[in-house]
Amino acid sequence: MRLLISFAALFLSVALLQLSSGGVGPLDVLSGLSLGFTNAQVGILGSAHFLGFFIGCWWAPRLMGSVGHSRAFAAFTATGAIGLLAHMLVVDPTAWAVMRVASGLCVAGCYTVIEAWLQAKVTNETRGRAMGTYRGVDMGASLIAQLMIGVLEPASYVSYNLLAILCCASILPLTLTKSSQPETPDAPRLRPMLAVARSPLAAAGVVVAGLSSAAFRMVGPIYGQEVGLRADQIGLFLAAFVAGGALGQYPAGWIADKYDRRWVLIWFSVAAILSCAATILLSTTGTTTIMLSAAIFGLTTFPIYSIATAHAHDFANSHERVELSAALMFFYALGAIASPLIASSLIDAYGPASLFILIMAGHVVLVVFGLARMRARPTNERKTPYIYAPRTSFTIGRLLKRHRDRK
């Protein structure tokens, strides 16, 4: 209990930040559509968010080293709040894309600071409980953020102002904590080809994970509106995906630690293909089945990132783990940046079902590539423990390193 109390300020900052950043994605989609933006223009907003996220992941450790944890956190939250407040001042898709770069920068920067602070404070004895609470707070706030779209009026200054208030509020717990500011760790080097060298299949897996998650979360509201869901139902639709993904981590972890992770990755991709097909077929059968299909989609696609990263770390040495985590995040960002724009353009041209056809195509490629890679080298008998790996910053590898080195 003392551990949780000592980290309460950090966890409260995480919750407030996730409520703000998690709510702006679906709000932007519905606001953009109500203001006459095309689907492709709305898709650019999602891609811009992940572009800012990638920039923030790379830059945040360096800024933190220059000005310290608290000042870096304040700078990133200010950037995010400015991006939110400016939405209704300049109603233009290009300007909104720049604002979403700011929101992505804010998310990556703030998570980098929080995770660096956690890494400095946890011990080997408290690491498991701290990380479990951290993941639970982050996932719970993400779930609530999706539901907020049911009460946030699209294209309203009040809605964006509320999210900006939450963003600003996230700075208070961390900056007012009595805990001493830790020393700043060195920024991890970004070596993308390290992921390819250790496991080409894992690199492909995280690209497809980025494609699946970003396309659904950033373009899913367009799909929901196209199939007749109301704003509050779209919130439930997105929340069902998050809930399904959270539940999927437990069976995925058990299976991935017991069986060949390449087969686990392949079969999860096969399940993702089937869930995409089911979502398309059930889109006209009623709200309940649409929500159920979203939960199953989350259950089959959300764990793929963690399975792929666990497979990559099976081939890595201890001193490579932090840089390997950063490299895998780089490939995840590539898929996440590209997919919202591609998916929204396909919906414009071919209708809402094309969102899931795009995701299906990505998983078909992953299955074929996985089968090919199984012929390239034998199974690695030495396994690192399966860990639910949050896609939050390049520094998450430091928090997870000792878990992965556990034999």
Side-chain angles (χ1 to χ4, degrees):
M1 182 59 70
R2 288 181 180 178
L3 169 74
L4 299 185
I5 293 174
S6 67
F7 288 140
L10 290 177
F11 295 148
L12 181 55
S13 289
V14 168
L16 292 168
L17 178 67
Q18 183 61 261
L19 288 173
S20 174
S21 62
V24 69
L27 178 61
D28 262 5
V29 173
L30 298 183
S31 297
L33 294 176
S34 70
L35 292 170
F37 295 3
T38 66
N39 287 341
Q41 288 171 333
V42 170
I44 290 174
L45 303 182
S47 294
H49 172 86
F50 284 103
L51 175 61
F53 174 81
F54 171 75
I55 296 171
C57 283
W58 180 85
W59 182 45
R62 291 153 180 83
L63 179 65
M64 193 168 58
S66 300
V67 303
H69 292 65
S70 295
R71 289 180 179 177
F73 193 88
F76 285 120
T77 50
T79 301
I82 290 168
L84 289 166
L85 291 171
H87 270 73
M88 298 315 298
L89 298 178
V90 184
V91 180
D92 176 79
T94 302
W96 279 29
V98 174
M99 297 169 199
R100 288 302 300 278
V101 170
S103 71
L105 190 70
C106 168
V107 172
C110 290
Y111 272 107
T112 298
V113 174
I114 288 167
E115 288 167 3
W117 208 309
L118 276 174
Q119 166 62 17
K121 297 297 184 182
V122 296
T123 64
N124 290 340
E125 291 73 25
T126 62
R127 187 177 301 270
R129 283 174 292 160
M131 282 303 296
T133 305
Y134 174 52
R135 295 187 194 108
V137 170
D138 183 59
M139 189 67 73
S142 177
L143 189 67
I144 296 171
Q146 309 311 307
L147 296 173
M148 286 172 60
I149 197 62
V151 297
L152 295 176
E153 182 184 350
S156 165
Y157 177 76
V158 172
S159 297
Y160 284 102
N161 191 56
L162 176 60
L163 295 181
I165 289 172
L166 291 171
C167 183
C168 292
S170 70
I171 198 175
L172 298 176
L174 188 141
T175 53
L176 294 178
T177 179
K178 294 182 179 179
S179 299
S180 58
Q181 184 167 286
E183 293 184 6
T184 303
D186 294 334
R189 287 190 300 167
L190 180 56
R191 295 195 293 155
M193 295 312 295
L194 177 62
V196 177
R198 293 296 168 265
S199 175
L201 177 58
V206 297
V207 170
V208 174
L211 181 151
S212 302
S213 179
F216 187 88
R217 296 185 74 163
M218 298 298 172
V219 185
I222 297 178
Y223 174 88
Q225 193 169 77
E226 294 274 354
V227 299
L229 297 180
R230 301 189 308 269
D232 59 327
Q233 293 173 332
I234 290 174
L236 286 171
F237 180 64
L238 297 174
F241 164 76
V242 175
L247 292 174
Q249 296 294 336
Y250 295 97
W254 183 83
I255 295 169
D257 282 342
K258 190 174 180 63
Y259 300 103
D260 186 336
R261 283 172 176 166
R262 295 173 299 180
W263 277 118
V264 176
L265 192 60
I266 288 168
W267 281 111
F268 262 87
S269 268
V270 170
I273 293 167
L274 295 175
S275 70
C276 287
T279 301
I280 294 171
L281 294 173
L282 296 173
S283 62
T284 59
T285 58
T287 303
T288 301
T289 52
I290 291 175
M291 301 302 172
L292 180 61
S293 67
I296 296 173
F297 175 76
L299 189 146
T300 57
T301 59
F302 213 90
I304 285 178
Y305 181 87
S306 295
I307 297 169
T309 56
H311 178 59
H313 281 279
D314 290 344
F315 297 93
N317 297 317
S318 178
H319 69 274
E320 296 175 323
R321 301 213 183 280
V322 175
E323 291 183 4
L324 179 57
S325 295
L328 291 166
M329 278 288 295
F330 170 82
F331 283 103
Y332 174 84
L334 289 184
I337 290 169
S339 62
L341 175 58
I342 296 172
S344 59
S345 299
L346 288 174
I347 290 177
D348 255 346
Y350 304 106
S354 58
L355 167 63
F356 290 98
I357 293 174
L358 170 66
I359 297 172
M360 286 174 65
H363 285 281
V364 168
V365 171
L366 185 58
V367 168
V368 173
F369 186 59
L371 293 173
R373 287 300 304 168
M374 292 192 72
R375 299 171 63 90
R377 66 178 173 186
T379 300
N380 189 354
E381 298 299 332
R382 184 183 70 87
K383 286 186 175 182
T384 58
Y386 175 92
I387 300 169
Y388 160 51
R391 283 89 76 178
T392 46
S393 78
F394 283 173
T395 59
I396 188 66
R398 287 196 173 93
L399 279 167
L400 302 180
K401 180 177 180 293
R402 292 188 183 274
H403 287 307
R404 295 198 188 280
D405 285 337
R406 193 173 69 241
K407 299 293 189 287

